[in-house]
Amino acid sequence: MENNTLQENKMGTMPIGKLLLSMALPMAASMLVQALYNIVDSIYVSRLSESALSAVSLAFPVQNIMVALGCGTAVGLNATVSRSLGAKRPDEADRFAGAGLFIGFAAMLLTVAFGLFFSRSYFAWQTRDAEIIAHGRDYLFWITVVSFGNYAQVLGERLLCSTGKTLYSMVSQITGAVINIILDPILIFGKFGLPAMGTAGAAIATVIGQIIAACIAFGFNLTVNRELHLRIRYIFRPHMRFIKDILVISIPSMIMLMVSSVMNFGMNQILLSFTSTAVAVFGVYYKLQSFVFMPVFGLNNAMVPIISYNYGAARRGRIMQTIKLAVLYACCLMAVGLLLFMTIPNVLLSFYNASETMQAIGQPALRLTSIAFLFAGYCIVLGSVFQALGNGVYSLVCSVVRQIVVLLPVAYLLSLSGNLNLVWLAFPIAEIASVSVSTFLFRKLYKSKIAGIPE
């Protein structure tokens, strides 16, 4: 018995507090670096012009769909692999890994097709501003057509997370982000004899960083991730049962993230009815709030395999302790973000070369939207708990309620007042609604899946 315990993955044996922190801190650190890259990227773009910043903001919904396809697949991959390992079925875990990579390859092909045929028309549909269209097309073309690094990085890192090797995942992600940060000014403005490429340079810096990070992640999977074996036959000839099991969890997660793209697109249209500067402010808000949300997502990335593993191993106490600690840590992180947005919004906006008009719009926007942080940490953790236990539809319901059923209609109704400041209140209102729905669904999940597990 002692020998079996020593051989068991740390997710089934290490004390939960120590385990969650040991897995979450590397992930949170890497996510913070990723958030820093997102912020720095937009800072450099804002130095080109406000039109360039608006173009990148308008491109965000498409990037969000890419995130939905990649991270949605990764959620299903992470949960199924960890659950199989917890149930002591290693060959099944290998098959899930292969099926997940196959799904990611298919998603990449769809993204490339969009970039080749629709990268310009996407912007022309939203605005007649030739400068915004030109900047946007240059940026989106490279991000989509050279997207294989994006998908390979996400899936490679999640395979490491699924076995508890978050430190290696952190190395991969931080390396990619640092490369992006270094290359941004060189390619955007033209340094060391290279031509200035503008927004195209920002996109090229991104894809180079993603490709290098993907190579590192898969290198680690092949050399140190001994619990998984990436077999060619499982990747290119996956069994439909494994694809289906991943998609049952992944599709609700994908749709949930795509709902965010619909929300972003809808908010951009509402804000364009006021001024394009409001769209730029909304884009800046999303970049800045990523610095708060990314560490929470890192916490979630660590939490999902722990819950999935212990659900596979039928250990209720470890599942509940993980959930409680994750909620506590997430709420603390969100409180720090709220404090920053409330006290120094002018400083945050000044990073983006904000004009007086942008400061006048942006300061109340950051203060009002950040009220949502009070509730968001709780909702984000519960959404990931649903995914970890195979109930991705619950996460989807919460996301649809928050962003489509509540946020967009409320924002539109408030916009009819002609007061732009009122529109930002839609964010905390939507988050309060999400708290109620998340709590109700978690109680249902607890009764159906957790309560019956013996202590």
Side-chain angles (χ1 to χ4, degrees):
M1 178 65 181
E2 183 180 352
N3 187 50
N4 289 339
T5 301
L6 288 172
Q7 291 179 352
E8 185 172 3
N9 189 287
K10 66 180 180 179
M11 291 187 289
T13 58
M14 187 181 290
I16 289 297
K18 181 180 178 181
L19 174 64
L20 186 58
L21 285 176
S22 69
M23 291 181 61
L25 287 176
M27 292 302 300
S30 61
M31 288 291 198
L32 270 174
V33 174
Q34 188 68 30
L36 179 63
Y37 159 68
N38 288 335
I39 291 171
V40 171
D41 186 43
S42 292
I43 288 173
Y44 285 131
V45 169
S46 70
R47 296 298 188 269
L48 292 171
S49 68
E50 192 172 291
S51 293
L53 184 59
S54 295
V56 172
S57 299
L58 289 173
F60 187 74
V62 175
Q63 289 180 276
N64 221 31
I65 289 176
M66 293 170 61
V67 170
L69 293 172
C71 291
T73 301
V75 166
L77 177 64
N78 205 353
T80 52
V81 169
S82 297
R83 190 173 63 212
S84 297
L85 292 173
K88 303 294 184 292
R89 295 193 291 266
D91 184 65
E92 183 179 86
D94 292 345
R95 289 176 178 271
F96 276 123
L101 294 176
F102 175 83
I103 296 169
F105 180 74
M108 181 207 71
L109 293 179
L110 290 174
T111 304
V112 171
F114 177 88
L116 288 173
F117 299 110
F118 301 107
S119 54
R120 187 186 186 282
S121 56
Y122 169 78
F123 290 94
W125 184 37
Q126 298 181 77
T127 180
R128 295 183 179 179
D129 188 315
E131 188 177 355
I132 291 178
I133 293 172
H135 281 303
R137 188 266 174 190
D138 290 345
Y139 183 80
L140 195 58
F141 177 84
W142 286 102
I143 289 291
T144 52
V145 172
V146 193
S147 60
F148 65 90
N150 169 65
Y151 291 106
Q153 178 187 356
V154 171
L155 295 176
E157 288 170 355
R158 290 300 179 88
L159 285 173
L160 292 167
C161 293
S162 67
T163 59
K165 293 176 176 61
T166 54
L167 182 62
Y168 294 100
S169 177
M170 177 191 74
V171 171
S172 166
Q173 193 164 45
I174 288 180
T175 302
V178 169
I179 289 170
N180 288 345
I181 293 171
I182 293 171
L183 290 180
D184 259 339
I186 296 173
L187 298 181
I188 292 173
F189 303 112
K191 307 288 185 182
F192 306 111
L194 293 173
M197 297 184 229
T199 50
I204 293 169
T206 297
V207 299
I208 290 174
Q210 289 170 343
I211 291 168
I212 293 173
C215 292
I216 293 172
F218 275 92
F220 283 141
N221 274 295
L222 294 172
T223 57
V224 301
N225 205 2
R226 303 294 185 186
E227 292 170 271
L228 283 178
H229 306 89
L230 302 182
R231 306 183 191 280
I232 297 296
R233 67 179 183 274
Y234 291 164
I235 298 173
F236 292 103
R237 295 178 61 187
H239 194 285
M240 277 305 300
R241 178 177 80 82
F242 297 100
I243 293 177
K244 180 181 177 182
D245 285 355
I246 291 174
L247 290 179
V248 164
I249 302 171
S250 293
I251 287 178
S253 182
M254 290 178 187
I255 296 173
M256 179 178 68
L257 290 165
M258 289 179 186
V259 163
S260 181
S261 291
V262 173
M263 182 277 292
N264 273 273
F265 183 85
M267 281 298 299
N268 283 335
Q269 305 316 302
I270 291 170
L271 295 172
L272 278 171
S273 68
F274 288 93
T275 169
S276 62
T277 302
V279 174
V281 167
F282 184 51
V284 167
Y285 159 73
Y286 253 86
K287 296 292 186 180
L288 290 172
Q289 61 103 38
S290 71
F291 201 70
V292 182
F293 280 68
M294 282 293 194
V296 179
F297 294 149
L299 173 69
N300 280 4
N301 288 345
M303 178 193 70
V304 166
I306 296 173
I307 292 176
S308 295
Y309 186 97
N310 286 285
Y311 180 68
R315 292 167 181 163
R316 176 166 54 130
R318 291 178 68 82
I319 293 171
M320 291 307 300
Q321 191 178 357
T322 302
I323 295 171
K324 290 174 183 177
L325 284 175
V327 168
L328 174 63
Y329 296 156
C331 289
C332 289
L333 288 168
M334 285 296 184
V336 173
L338 175 65
L339 181 64
L340 290 173
F341 274 58
M342 284 291 185
T343 55
I344 56 168
N346 57 321
V347 176
L348 298 175
L349 288 164
S350 68
F351 294 147
Y352 293 88
N353 202 29
S355 62
E356 288 186 15
T357 303
M358 192 170 174
Q359 284 280 3
I361 293 174
Q363 289 187 37
L366 294 188
R367 288 194 174 103
L368 292 170
T369 51
S370 66
I371 297 171
F373 295 176
L374 290 170
F375 316 100
Y378 172 82
C379 297
I380 291 170
V381 170
L382 287 192
S384 292
V385 171
F386 299 150
Q387 294 166 347
L389 296 177
N391 285 64
V393 172
Y394 284 7
S395 295
L396 174 60
V397 169
C398 293
S399 184
V400 169
V401 168
R402 182 175 74 253
Q403 300 183 84
I404 304 299
V405 176
V406 178
L407 194 151
L408 279 182
V410 169
Y412 174 73
L413 291 174
L414 293 174
S415 73
L416 298 179
S417 68
N419 185 344
L420 177 58
N421 287 340
L422 290 180
V423 175
W424 308 116
L425 286 172
F427 286 88
I429 291 171
E431 209 64 57
I432 291 169
S434 183
V435 168
S436 301
V437 176
S438 297
T439 302
F440 171 76
L441 292 176
F442 178 71
R443 286 176 176 171
K444 283 190 65 176
L445 182 70
Y446 180 83
K447 291 177 182 177
S448 64
K449 286 202 168 184
I450 302 176
I453 301 174
E455 286 287 357

